[in-house]
Amino acid sequence: MVNAARLAVSPAAFLPVPGSPPVAWRVSEGLVDYAEAVARMEARAAAIAAGSEPECVWLLEHPPLYTAGTSARVEDLVAPERFPVFPSGRGGQYTYHGPGQRVAYVMLDLSRRRTDLRAYVASLETWLIATLEAFNVRAERREDRVGVWVRRPEKGATVEDKIAAIGIRVRRWVSFHGISLNVEPDLTHFTGIVPCGVREHGVTSLVDLGLLVSMPEVDMQLRAAFEAVFGETVVEG
């Protein structure tokens, strides 16, 4: 069932106040160490809160790993020895990151936009749904589970798979952590956890859906859809 309250949120609600600088758009090549990324992300979020750096979206890939959100349950870590496991300050439960998955750390000053976390999560969902629509993928949000989902009628009338995850944290009204979109990850790596605590549904990717797209193509659509929801960007670094 779709959450009508989330759907009613206008994406324009997260455009910044007039006169705000564009959001810095940064893309890292290769695999970025998770602990290093978190340290850099938290430092940038602190600088944004202090007014010394502009907002930023940082796109990257990690080596294979699992992260545990603040609601993670021990029983959902099925194979703790398989990959490194990192505690994470973001909301949510266990998730996987690895090559072929586009992670976007979203560092926005919500005080310049709207201090409404539910509406912010809805806007992240809107961003992902619009990105996937550019590849003719009909993705949907759900009332009882955060993230973006794809119906799989070829597997069964009620089967749905998760194609993108959302996990955020906010400090001094600056957001960090963000989203992950499955482009071409090894989907068997998700079997070491119960992804986001959801046992009754699976995971998918663009390639699993039969779409052979490159990461730069995905990045291009992510940026276009982001600007429609959150405002202008400028390439950094």
Side-chain angles (χ1 to χ4, degrees), residues 10 24 29 37 43 58 66 93 109 122-123 143 156 168 177 184 186:
S10 168
E29 301 294 335
W58 182 18
Y66 298 128
Q93 301 185 41
D109 184 352
S123 292
E143 179 180 12
I168 67 165
H177 294 282
E184 192 180 4
D186 185 337

Side-chain angles (χ1 to χ4, degrees), residues 140-193:
E140 301 172 343
R141 66 192 93 200
R142 291 291 177 261
E143 179 180 12
D144 58 340
R145 37 196 154 96
V146 174
V148 174
W149 301 81
V150 177
R151 297 177 189 266
R152 304 300 302 274
E154 72 278 11
K155 294 183 177 181
T158 62
V159 176
E160 298 180 349
D161 287 339
K162 192 172 194 174
I163 194 167
I166 297 173
I168 67 165
R169 187 171 181 182
V170 174
R171 183 182 295 149
R172 296 173 63 191
W173 287 114
V174 174
S175 69
F176 52 111
H177 294 282
I179 63 99
S180 59
L181 174 60
N182 295 334
V183 180
E184 192 180 4
D186 185 337
L187 295 180
T188 67
H189 290 178
F190 286 88
T191 61
I193 57 172

Side-chain angles (χ1 to χ4, degrees), residues 24-27 44 234-237:
W25 190 264
R26 174 179 285 271
V27 180
R44 181 60 175 258
V234 62
V235 174
E236 177 182 85

Side-chain angles (χ1 to χ4, degrees), residues 63-106:
L65 59 95
Y66 298 128
T67 67
T70 55
S71 301
R73 299 175 298 192
V74 174
E75 62 269 26
D76 288 346
L77 182 58
V78 178
E81 73 292 339
R82 190 169 186 181
F83 297 125
V85 181
F86 293 87
S88 173
R90 61 162 175 80
Q93 301 185 41
Y94 281 104
T95 193
Y96 166 77
H97 293 316
Q101 181 191 72
R102 177 52 88 207
V103 172
Y105 290 131
V106 185

